[in-house]
Amino acid sequence: MSEPLISAESLVKTFDKLTVLGGTSFTLGEGEFVAVTGKSGVGKSTLLGVLGTLDPAFTGDLTINGVNVAEASSSELAELRREFMGFIFQDFHLLPNLSAIDNILLPAVFSGTDTGQVRADAAAILLRLGLRNDNTPTRFLSRGERQRVASARALVNNPRVLMADEPTASLDEESEENLFDMLDSLRKEKGFAIIAVLHSRKILSRADRVLELKEGVLHEKHA
Ligand SMILES: Nc1ncnc2c1ncn2[C@@H]1O[C@H](COP(=O)(O)OP(=O)(O)O)[C@@H](O)[C@H]1O
Ligand SMILES: [Mg+2]
């Protein structure tokens, strides 16, 4: 078996006296689709923040793409996030006054890698996700369209892992299924893994594994 993309053991995360992660383990294999579920406030977003190296204040062993996160410098972690991971946040975090393509290209503009190739990749992924490449500010787009812009931004760098925190919250069932049809076919084509916080039974049934976070620990559930 190949090395897992992400492997975590004895993860502990507390906020003052509140223990959100109480020594849980987690692994993510190449190309796998893992769903995380659990009640509101149980710590799913906190878990994704730790696994996504966005939150350095935890204890336990966390290895991502062979990098020991606790020992890595902040620039090594930034590189890991930029080159290895893509994120879809719950409220998308799009800049409302920028167009779809400008939102997607923003990280490249900041990191000085805004080349013709990156622009072509961004246009291709937009097209693939069925979005217009025009100057409409994303604040005028529907929620489903904004969701697709956020997905395109997460995937433009060809990450090995896509992390998504309740990406379909407040989408209707049809848009939710459409989104996962698209993400799943892209996953099969490009081979990235998905870890997503999800609730809908229909979508959960598509995951390779479903984990329920309960009292600080992930439990394997049947998909
Ligand atoms: N920055 C923070 N400071 C203090 N408490 C927090 C912080 N972030 C989250 N929490 C608390 O941690 C718990 C888990 O939150 P969260 O991970 O957002 O849950 P979920 O995503 O499962 O709804 C909640 O009780 C929440 O209030
Ligand atoms: Mg959450």
Side-chain angles (χ1 to χ4, degrees):
M1 254 192 56
S2 59
E3 284 278 297
L5 299 171
I6 299 181
S7 109
E9 233 176 286
S10 312
L11 278 190
V12 174
K13 171 71 198 174
T14 58
F15 293 111
D16 292 322
K17 288 193 181 103
L18 178 69
T19 300
V20 180
L21 302 176
T24 196
S25 46
F26 173 81
T27 59
L28 182 71
E30 197 84 51
E32 221 187 353
F33 174 10
V34 173
V36 174
T37 184
K39 292 196 176 119
S40 174
V42 81
K44 304 177 297 297
S45 296
T46 302
L47 173 72
L48 243 56
V50 170
L51 296 178
T53 79
L54 299 166
D55 181 351
F58 66 93
T59 65
D61 297 323
L62 175 60
T63 305
I64 301 179
N65 197 30
V67 174
N68 180 334
V69 171
E71 289 172 358
S73 67
S74 57
S75 65
E76 283 173 303
L77 294 181
E79 185 184 325
L80 198 61
R81 286 192 295 272
R82 195 169 58 239
E83 293 182 357
F84 188 75
M85 297 191 256
F87 297 91
I88 305 175
F89 298 99
Q90 192 162 354
D91 45 10
F92 308 150
H93 295 192
L94 296 175
L95 290 181
N97 295 329
L98 295 187
S99 68
I101 194 132
D102 285 344
N103 265 281
I104 295 168
L105 288 171
L106 203 60
V109 170
F110 276 130
S111 64
T113 54
D114 174 22
T115 59
Q117 184 60 48
V118 171
R119 286 195 167 257
D121 291 347
I125 190 103
L126 266 184
L127 194 67
R128 183 64 192 268
L129 288 170
L131 285 157
R132 293 180 311 268
N133 179 5
D134 61 17
N135 295 322
T136 310
T138 56
R139 68 176 189 276
F140 295 123
L141 301 182
S142 73
R143 211 177 149 77
E145 286 169 332
R146 273 184 277 152
Q147 165 56 267
R148 283 182 277 156
V149 178
S151 304
R153 183 184 52 189
L155 293 172
V156 71
N157 282 349
N158 275 316
R160 305 305 300 148
V161 177
L162 174 66
M163 292 198 176
D165 193 356
E166 306 199 33
T168 54
S170 85
L171 287 190
D172 58 71
E173 214 172 284
E174 197 186 330
S175 314
E176 180 175 43
E177 283 200 65
N178 283 341
L179 180 80
F180 269 84
D181 284 342
M182 278 182 303
L183 290 181
D184 227 21
S185 69
L186 282 166
R187 174 174 75 106
K188 285 178 183 136
E189 192 181 304
K190 296 178 186 275
F192 56 82
I194 300 179
I195 165 169
V197 177
L198 293 168
H199 297 290
S200 149
R201 281 242 183 102
K202 253 192 184 155
I203 309 294
L204 285 175
S205 69
R206 299 182 180 202
D208 297 315
R209 285 190 291 138
V210 177
L211 305 174
E212 182 177 8
L213 183 59
K214 208 171 170 180
E215 291 170 355
V217 177
L218 289 164
H219 302 269
E220 199 77 49
K221 279 181 66 164
H222 293 292

